[in-house]
Amino acid sequence: MAPRILSQEVAREFYLLRVDDEKVNYFEALWSIPEKVTYNAYLLVGNGEVVLFDCWKNTYADELVETIKGIVDPRDITHIIVHHAEPDHSGSLPRVLEVNGFRAEVVTYSMGKSILEAFYKISPKFRIVKDGDELALAGENIKIIHTPWLHWPETIMSYLSGRKILLSCDAFGGYSIPRTIFDDEEVVREYLPSVRKYVATVIGFYRQHIIRNVEKIQSLGLSIDMIAPAHGLIWKRRPQLIVDYYRALAEGRPDEYKILVISGSMYGLMEAATRVAVEEVERLGGRVVFYRFDDSEQPPFSDILGDAIDSKAIILATPTYEVGIYPPLDQLVELITKKIPQKPVLVVGSYGWAGVAAKKVSEKLGGSGFKVIDVIEFQGSASEKNIQRIREGVKKLFESP
Ligand SMILES: Cc1cc2nc3c(=O)[nH]c(=O)nc-3n(C[C@H](O)[C@H](O)[C@H](O)COP(=O)(O)O)c2cc1C
Ligand SMILES: [Fe+2]
Ligand SMILES: [Fe+2]
C-alpha cells in the first residue's frame, strides 16, 4: 500500500513534506509504536534557490523524490540542511543527491559531515556550519542553532528570521500520525501522550539537554510564530505549549495524582500483593496506571516509560527469578534509571527460598538517585504485617515531595 503523503505550503514558499510511516512497528528497532510515526521534511523556495531541510527514512526515498517533484525539479535543489544525521531523517539523502546530480551543498554541523560520510559513503559538497551562523538562502535569513544531544551531538536547528519559523528537528516532535498538520486544540489533546512516550523513549536519556537547549533558545529572544519539527504536528496556534511541555517532562514535574504500578508475576503471588498497593493508591485518591507482566500479558516498555516520565511515584513489584530480578523488570529498571527523572519508589518482592530481587531493584534505583521509600520482600504471599507495610509505603509515596 502506498504511504500517505502530505505535501503542503505551510508558509509563503515554505512547504511541509510529511510521510506517514504505517510500516514501522518498532521505532529505532526498539520501541513498540502501534500509533506509528511521521517524518517531516521541509522545502523552502525563493530567489532561484531551493533549500531542502532533512529527508525521510530510506524506506521512502522514491516517494520523497516524487513528492519534491510535485513542487520543484529535484535538480534545482541548491542546499540540503541536515539537522540531524540519524537515518530516520537522512536515510533518503543519498537518493535525493543522486537525482539532484550532487549539485546541492549539504549543510551540516562538522560532526554531521563525518557521520553522513561514514553512514552512506558519499562525498557531496559540504558546507560546515556552527552555532550562530546566519545563511542568506532562498531570500531568507537562516540562523543556525546548535542544539547538542537533541537528539545526537551534531543536531542543529534552523530559524527562518523572515518567516519566524523554528525548524526544530527531533525536539518538539512526537510519535503517532496526527489527523491534522497543525496543532488544532482537539488534536493536541490526542497527541500529547504520544509526545510523552517519544520524549521518554528517544530523548529521556538526554533530558538535561532539553532544559539547556530550551534555555538557550529562549536566551536568543527569537520571535517564533511556528515550530516545525521533524516528527508529528506543526505548532502554529500555540508554539509555546510544546516548548513548555517538553521542559516540564524533562524536569520531571509530575502529575501529582498519577502512580505507576509495575508488577511481574509468574504464578500470581506477587500480583496479589501488588493489588493491595493498587487498592491503597485508589483509596487515597490517586490514579493508578497499572502494567502487569504475567502469563497473558507482556506490556511494551515504550508505553511504560511514557507513563513513568510524568508519574508522581512508582511502585515496582518483582519476584526473585534465578537469584535475580524477574528478567523483563530487570531490563525495565535499567531503562528507568537512564531515561526517567528521579522520583519516589516503593519496591515489593516475593521469593521462594532466598529473596534478592527487591533488594537488587532498590539498589539499582537508589543508586541512580531515586528515593526508595521502602523495600518489602517476603516469602510467597504477603502476611498481614507485610500488607500493612505496603499500605504505609503507599501513604509515604503520596507524602514524599
Ligand atoms: C523459573 C523460576 C525461578 C525462580 N527462581 C528463584 C530464585 O532464584 N530464588 C528464590 O528464592 N525463588 C525463586 N523462584 C520462586 C519465586 O520467586 C516465588 O515462587 C515467588 O513467590 C513467585 O511469585 P510469583 O508467582 O508472583 O511469580 C523462582 C520461581 C520460578 C518459577
Ligand atoms: Fe533522532
Ligand atoms: Fe527523528
Side-chain angles (χ1 to χ4, degrees):
M1 205 181 69
R4 186 166 77 136
I5 289 164
L6 302 176
S7 165
Q8 187 175 313
E9 189 174 10
V10 293
R12 185 178 41 84
E13 292 191 291
F14 178 69
Y15 300 83
L16 162 71
L17 316 177
R18 169 178 134 179
V19 64
D20 297 348
D21 186 358
E22 303 260 15
K23 286 189 204 161
V24 64
N25 290 326
Y26 298 97
F27 193 74
E28 295 177 344
L30 282 172
W31 313 114
S32 166
I33 49 163
E35 65 273 62
K36 311 297 177 181
V37 70
T38 78
Y39 313 114
N40 307 341
Y42 298 88
L43 200 67
L44 177 69
V45 182
N47 278 5
E49 290 179 316
V50 176
V51 185
L52 173 65
F53 298 87
D54 296 318
C55 293
W56 296 343
K57 203 174 161 184
N58 64 0
T59 325
Y60 300 108
D62 292 339
E63 287 86 351
L64 178 58
V65 169
E66 286 312 306
T67 306
I68 293 170
K69 278 184 185 163
I71 303 168
V72 294
D73 183 339
R75 295 176 65 81
D76 294 338
I77 297 172
T78 50
H79 301 82
I80 304 176
I81 299 189
V82 177
H83 289 124
H84 175 25
E86 190 167 2
D88 55 334
H89 310 291
S90 71
S92 46
L93 174 69
R95 173 68 60 79
V96 170
L97 280 169
E98 208 177 279
V99 176
N100 169 260
F102 281 84
R103 294 161 184 222
E105 245 180 11
V106 175
V107 181
T108 77
Y109 200 72
S110 51
M111 193 190 285
K113 171 177 184 284
S114 76
I115 298 174
L116 292 173
E117 285 171 335
F119 280 9
Y120 306 117
K121 309 301 179 211
I122 51 172
S123 28
K125 288 178 277 184
F126 278 105
R127 174 148 160 197
I128 302 305
V129 287
K130 52 183 194 325
D131 188 46
D133 280 359
E134 303 205 6
L135 315 175
L137 297 176
E140 247 300 358
N141 176 270
I142 303 176
K143 190 178 175 69
I144 301 294
I145 309 162
H146 183 215
T147 50
W149 303 108
L150 290 185
H151 158 223
W152 283 2
E154 88 307 358
T155 307
I156 52 173
M157 295 186 187
S158 294
Y159 175 67
L160 311 188
S161 313
R163 291 169 178 81
K164 302 184 176 175
I165 297 173
L166 180 70
L167 288 107
S168 59
C169 198
D170 275 343
F172 313 132
Y175 290 135
S176 82
I177 295 181
R179 286 189 279 136
T180 53
I181 286 177
F182 295 111
D183 54 338
D184 297 358
E185 198 166 344
E186 203 181 307
V187 180
V188 168
R189 216 170 307 126
E190 297 165 8
Y191 177 60
L192 289 183
S194 304
V195 171
R196 202 176 63 197
K197 177 169 164 181
Y198 170 82
V199 172
T201 52
V202 177
I203 337 183
F205 183 61
Y206 303 110
R207 58 191 179 278
Q208 294 308 326
H209 296 276
I210 294 178
I211 300 166
R212 245 172 253 158
N213 282 303
V214 163
E215 280 171 0
K216 177 174 181 174
I217 293 162
Q218 269 159 359
S219 76
L220 295 175
L222 309 172
S223 151
I224 298 173
D225 284 351
M226 188 188 288
I227 293 182
H231 300 287
L233 283 181
I234 293 181
W235 297 83
K236 184 165 92 168
R237 207 174 48 92
R238 289 178 66 193
Q240 193 59 39
L241 187 151
I242 191 65
V243 177
D244 293 343
Y245 191 58
Y246 257 66
R247 185 168 184 146
L249 292 174
E251 286 177 349
R253 268 185 269 148
D255 170 342
E256 286 298 330
Y257 295 97
K258 179 177 175 182
I259 307 284
L260 175 64
V261 182
I262 308 162
S263 143
S265 191
M266 297 177 282
Y267 292 102
L269 290 172
M270 190 72 266
E271 195 171 314
T274 314
R275 292 210 168 269
V276 172
V278 167
E279 239 176 66
E280 191 63 12
V281 171
E282 284 168 349
R283 202 181 66 79
L284 295 173
R287 188 166 58 82
V288 173
V289 180
F290 191 12
Y291 287 98
R292 46 177 189 270
F293 292 78
D294 58 25
D295 61 2
S296 65
E297 279 178 58
Q298 296 284 314
F301 290 165
S302 55
D303 287 341
I304 302 173
L305 293 169
D307 271 313
I309 193 167
D310 69 341
S311 64
K312 154 89 178 150
I314 302 176
I315 299 173
L316 209 142
T318 174
T320 291
Y321 173 93
E322 294 178 355
V323 208
I325 302 165
Y326 172 67
L329 296 193
D330 197 6
Q331 209 187 346
L332 181 62
V333 166
E334 193 68 34
L335 291 167
I336 288 174
T337 61
K338 283 189 162 173
K339 293 177 182 280
I340 302 301
Q342 290 85 0
K343 52 192 68 193
V345 286
L346 177 65
V347 187
V348 189
S350 170
Y351 61 89
W353 50 94
V356 292
K359 231 170 287 134
K360 286 192 174 182
V361 167
S362 89
E363 277 164 19
K364 282 194 179 189
L365 290 172
S368 302
F370 284 73
K371 187 172 169 193
V372 180
I373 295 291
D374 201 359
V375 187
I376 307 159
E377 190 154 35
F378 43 80
Q379 189 174 19
S381 52
S383 66
E384 259 318 304
K385 214 170 124 209
N386 299 138
I387 286 175
Q388 196 45 39
R389 256 178 87 188
I390 293 172
R391 291 192 193 280
E392 278 158 21
V394 170
K395 189 155 167 271
K396 283 189 209 146
L397 286 182
F398 277 106
E399 289 162 358
S400 178

